[in-house]
Amino acid sequence: MGINSREEAVQFLKEKRDSDQVEDVEPEKRGLISGLLNTLASDITGLTGSVASAVDPKNYRPEPGYTFQAPGPNDSRGPCPGLNLLANYGYLPRNGYVNYGQVLDATARGFNMGADLATVLAVFTILADGDIATESWYLGAGPGNVGGLNRHDTAECDISPNREDYYLACGDNHHLSSRLFQQNVQAAAANPTKQFDLVTMGTQYASNAAFSLKNNPYLYYFPFPSIVSLGAFAFYPQFFSNGTYGAGGVANYESISSIIGAKFNKTSGQFSFVPEKWPSQGWYRRATPYGAVQALIDGFTIIYPRYPVPMAVPQLANPANLNVNTILCDIYDGINSITPLALGGTEQEVATAVSWALSKLEGVGISPSVLGCSIGNISPNFYPNMTQAGGPMNLPPAQQANTGNNVYNKTYFCNAPTTPQCSHTC
Ligand code: HEM
């Protein structure tokens, strides 16, 4: 696209923002949504059958002994549909308090996530949102709403596939947003494949990025959280497809809506957020692992270019540097900048945490020698300006009541929050 510098990227974005119209789906358009769902549904019927006959039965999920059970009021659930679902079946502790080993095992078993990808996600999450001594964290809010995956600007961040931005949602960055999923369904229906594939999810990303840039004055878009978020757009087809995406698997409405807990209400035309579940019609996990390298390729070369949001890290702001090697090296180097978020402790505590994290990453092949990183030349800080307004140490204004664990069987955000929307149910 010919963007060679951060300045050009900013200029491009300004022009695009001014010319972009982000469509908000109004309740009166519910007839349209129903029609789109019917279109998708008619495609689904044939697609599901063809997958079921082409897959290896050993990839059928859930396996015997793992049964769905909706989370209770004291179980912790948050912004990650993959982990929420695994806890709903007992692949992870049902109370939502999980540790590194359990997550590595469960994400591989349930979805065939590669160990390197799960490690990168888990290590940063433990450093920023969890507890190093026990290698654990909460899937939603931590005790007293401190820590946990709901913590904003650490692993969770703005411009998510189907969650609203922290500031505009008045602290609710973790419930499925009805209007965003309506928009996602529209993008799938407009795509000739009728699927939630990388093209559809790129469209969803572009709409959400334009919306956030236009309306969210506290947008804080920095490397690590953006990796999680960009990856998450690709996770829709890569992990939630019935069968292996790219090898006959289908990212159809039936699979996606069930796994992310979006239940269509014909009367209101909106989506309620219900506990995440594998589709009852039958579902097969991908047959091959999907790891860190592929996730970064999908996130940074397919999703991100659809609407590049400049990152305030000079090295990554230059699209020429947006390659997997640079980003993996940045992940490695970024450990040094993330630890103070969690610890704010003594030098010795920080040093212990850094060496713990580095040894975990090295264990899955992410090390400077393997990657050929030129240490010292790479971005000095993964969370620059942490204390700026909107940064992780100085969060945007929000209501505490909106920051707790997921509450299911309600509908959230029927309309786009162009200004902070503190009453989030509708
Ligand atoms: C290995 C440990 C994992 C951690 C620490 C983790 C963490 C997170 C976090 C913090 C978010 C919020 C990102 C944002 O604000 O945009 C998120 C979102 C997401 N995660 Fe995970 N995740 C993990 C594993 C998985 C797995 C195994 C899957 C799929 C099977 C998955 C699928 C997703 C998706 C699709 C979203 C986006 C949700 C949406 O906004 O629609 N994650 N995850």
Side-chain angles (χ1 to χ4, degrees), residues 79-83 86 103-104 107 111 113 117-119 121-122 125 129 137 149 155-163 173 176 225 228-230 232-233 235-236 239-240 260:
C80 178
L83 297 180
L86 290 167
V103 167
L104 239 72
T107 53
F111 289 105
M113 180 179 265
L117 178 55
T119 296
L121 293 170
T125 296
D129 302 336
W137 73 91
L149 282 189
E156 189 289 321
C157 75
D158 293 332
I159 316 184
S160 309
N162 282 297
R163 267 78 179 160
N173 54 0
L176 176 100
V228 182
S229 161
L230 287 169
F233 283 89
F235 290 179
Y236 270 71
F239 287 123
F240 298 161
I260 66 166

Side-chain angles (χ1 to χ4, degrees), residues 322-388:
L322 279 177
N323 60 62
V324 170
N325 193 261
T326 309
I327 296 164
L328 279 172
C329 291
D330 278 357
I331 288 177
Y332 186 88
D333 194 55
I335 291 288
N336 289 305
S337 63
I338 191 179
T339 39
L341 277 177
L343 301 167
T346 63
E347 253 177 60
Q348 198 189 348
E349 283 167 330
V350 173
T352 308
V354 168
S355 74
W356 168 81
L358 295 184
S359 74
K360 285 277 191 261
L361 292 176
E362 276 168 20
V364 291
I366 300 176
S367 74
S369 54
V370 173
L371 296 168
C373 309
S374 49
I375 297 292
N377 251 343
I378 53 181
S379 74
N381 194 339
F382 245 36
Y383 291 84
N385 310 321
M386 285 194 287
T387 53
Q388 81 177 32

Side-chain angles (χ1 to χ4, degrees), residues 254-299:
E254 189 178 45
S255 301
I256 301 291
S257 61
S258 176
I259 292 173
I260 66 166
K263 186 177 169 201
F264 186 59
N265 179 330
K266 282 202 180 91
T267 315
S268 67
Q270 299 289 345
F271 290 92
S272 308
F273 187 25
V274 298
E276 295 87 348
K277 202 175 184 178
W278 275 308
S280 50
Q281 296 83 349
W283 186 88
Y284 295 82
R285 68 166 194 180
R286 53 179 299 118
T288 48
Y290 176 83
V293 170
Q294 205 186 335
L296 292 172
I297 291 173
D298 286 347

Side-chain angles (χ1 to χ4, degrees), residues 60-131:
Y60 188 83
R61 292 294 178 274
E63 298 157 290
Y66 294 90
T67 50
F68 173 80
Q69 198 179 300
N74 298 322
D75 295 333
S76 187
R77 298 289 186 275
C80 178
L83 297 180
N84 289 347
L85 179 145
L86 290 167
N88 292 345
Y89 283 87
Y91 279 94
L92 285 172
R94 291 186 189 271
N95 66 6
Y97 183 52
V98 304
N99 70 37
Y100 177 80
Q102 292 164 344
V103 167
L104 239 72
D105 192 40
T107 53
R109 210 157 159 187
F111 289 105
N112 224 337
M113 180 179 265
D116 57 351
L117 178 55
T119 296
V120 168
L121 293 170
V123 162
F124 274 87
T125 296
I126 290 166
L127 287 174
D129 302 336
D131 175 53

